[in-house]
């Protein structure tokens, strides 16, 4: 399986520098959020000229690092509707340009009524929240289809698609056959202190509900610190990756494994490689 990292977890700089470091760190590719990673670029509509795209793509590809996944994360229920409009336009523009980067997927999350905090709000778990998110993402499968790529969304307990079944419902309603909708599974993001002991069941639910349509897994491990879940290096927490990774190999072998804010990257990568090769 191919293992990716978010390049802004390496730092911010030129695509060439990021690509060199991603390769030297041992990664096959990146989930690229242009504005967060590439110096001097914001990724906004109108800025992704052929020259800019070529420079970014070549910077990574010249080091044998691919860009299968772009990140264009925005909050679709932000109280500032100009921000929502700008975020949706940027997401759609990334879909239109994704193939030029060699990417097949463009990722986002489903937002929170806590605006820029992206944290739990009771309103997130309402029908109103579902319908508002749906209204923003409804046009995206068609844009993805016209561009020959797929949109990709991930849920989180603190966001509007707060459980796997709610995210699957969204997919079913805006792209019933999931021809141009894919799922990113971040099992850690579905957890909080009240349900983390059920993580294996939630993980299995994701594998079953999203079967055949998962493009990536964000890898995080954790320990419990008081009433909080705290990120730990992969294989050094209680998530259960020794059990989960073989399931991924069996159920979703074409999906990407993506390091996102991982602690102690060298030991974490060694741990994952020891299981998936």
């Amino acid at each position: 399986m191919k293992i990716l990292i978010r390049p802004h977890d390496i730092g911010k700089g030129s695509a060439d520098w990021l690509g060199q470091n991603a390769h030297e760190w041992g990664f096959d590719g990146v989930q690229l959020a242009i504005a967060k990673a590439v110096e001097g670029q914001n990724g906004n509509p109108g800025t992704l000229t052929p020259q800019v795209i070529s420079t970014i793509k070549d910077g990574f590809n010249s080091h044998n690092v691919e860009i299968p996944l772009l990140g264009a994360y925005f909050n679709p229920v932000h109280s500032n509707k100009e921000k929502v409009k700008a975020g949706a336009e940027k997401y759609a523009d990334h879909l239109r340009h994704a193939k030029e980067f060699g990417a097949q997927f463009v990722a986002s999350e489903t937002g929170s009524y806590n605006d820029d905090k992206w944290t739990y709000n009771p309103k997130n778990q309402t029908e109103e929240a579902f319908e508002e998110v749906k209204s923003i993402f409804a046009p995206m499968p068609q844009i993805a289809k016209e561009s020959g790529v797929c949109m990709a969304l991930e849920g989180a307990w603190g966001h509007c698609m707060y459980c796997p079944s709610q995210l699957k419902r969204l997919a079913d309603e805006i792209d019933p056959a999931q021809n141009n909708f894919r799922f990113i599974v971040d099992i850690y993001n579905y957890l909080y202190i009240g349900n983390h002991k059920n993580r294996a069941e939630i993980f299995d639910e994701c594998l079953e509900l999203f079967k055949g349509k998962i493009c990536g897994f964000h890898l995080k491990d954790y320990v419990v610190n008081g009433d909080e879940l705290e990120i730990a290096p992969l294989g050094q927490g209680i998530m259960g990756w020794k059990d989960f990774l073989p399931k991924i190999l069996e159920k979703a072998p074409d999906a990407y494994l993506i390091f996102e804010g991982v602690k102690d990257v060298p030991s974490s990568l060694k741990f994952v490689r020891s299981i998936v090769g």
Side-chain angles (χ1 to χ4, degrees):
M1 297 188 78
K2 292 185 176 180
I3 305 177
L4 316 182
I5 190 171
R6 301 184 310 180
H8 59 277
D9 287 334
I10 296 173
K12 190 167 189 176
S14 70
D16 181 72
W17 178 79
L18 291 164
Q20 179 181 351
N21 278 274
H23 175 72
E24 290 177 354
W25 286 21
F27 290 94
D28 303 301
V30 293
Q31 175 182 326
L32 175 62
I34 295 166
K36 291 183 178 181
V38 182
E39 196 72 56
Q41 297 296 329
N42 59 26
N44 289 337
T47 67
L48 298 180
T49 64
Q51 181 178 358
V52 167
I53 293 171
S54 178
T55 299
I56 293 173
K57 181 182 179 182
D58 292 347
F60 286 98
N61 290 175
S62 64
H63 298 286
N64 294 316
V65 175
E66 58 183 282
I67 311 172
L69 184 63
L70 297 178
Y73 287 69
F74 73 102
N75 185 350
V77 297
H78 199 288
S79 61
N80 184 334
K81 298 312 173 188
E82 288 302 311
K83 280 191 173 185
V84 175
K85 181 181 177 183
E89 289 175 348
K90 184 173 183 176
Y91 187 85
D93 193 60
H94 274 54
L95 287 172
R96 295 185 182 103
H97 288 289
K99 286 188 81 170
E100 298 167 52
F101 288 92
Q104 187 62 32
F105 313 102
V106 180
S108 187
E109 291 174 320
T110 62
S112 166
Y113 285 97
N114 287 344
D115 286 349
D116 298 326
K117 293 181 179 180
W118 291 74
T119 49
Y120 171 78
N121 183 310
K123 190 176 177 182
N124 294 346
Q125 298 189 9
T126 63
E127 187 65 14
E128 179 184 348
F130 178 87
E131 291 297 335
E132 190 168 354
V133 173
K134 178 183 172 181
S135 71
I136 299 300
F137 282 109
M140 302 305 177
Q142 182 61 33
I143 296 170
K145 180 180 180 181
E146 293 168 355
S147 306
V149 298
C150 293
M151 63 181 296
L153 295 184
E154 56 179 297
W157 179 80
H159 297 172
C160 293
M161 300 304 115
Y162 55 91
C163 64
S165 61
Q166 196 75 337
L167 183 59
K168 181 60 163 60
R169 178 189 167 200
L170 177 68
D172 288 342
E173 293 194 15
I174 68 173
D175 188 12
Q178 268 95 77
N179 289 325
N180 295 95
F181 190 114
R182 294 293 182 269
F183 301 90
I184 294 175
V185 175
D186 188 329
I187 189 62
Y188 175 82
N189 280 5
Y190 283 119
L191 305 181
Y192 70 106
I193 195 65
N195 74 349
H196 77 98
K197 292 181 180 179
N198 301 324
R199 58 193 175 274
E201 290 85 352
I202 297 170
F203 184 74
D204 287 343
E205 182 184 12
C206 289
L207 292 178
E208 182 59 32
L209 282 178
F210 308 153
K211 184 165 52 179
K213 303 294 182 179
I214 300 172
C215 68
F217 292 84
H218 283 162
L219 305 186
K220 299 190 186 89
D221 214 331
Y222 74 98
V223 295
V224 177
N225 185 357
D227 288 334
E228 300 293 328
L229 309 185
E230 186 176 286
I231 293 288
L234 293 171
Q236 297 181 38
I238 64 172
M239 181 67 83
W241 287 113
K242 286 184 178 179
D243 296 322
F244 290 177
L245 285 168
K247 286 186 177 182
I248 292 173
L249 278 170
E250 177 188 356
K251 303 288 188 180
D254 295 329
Y256 294 96
L257 303 177
I258 306 162
F259 277 39
E260 183 183 61
V262 170
K263 287 189 173 182
D264 192 352
V265 170
S267 74
S268 294
L269 185 57
K270 183 178 180 181
F271 165 75
V272 175
R273 292 280 188 202
S274 73
I275 297 173
V276 304

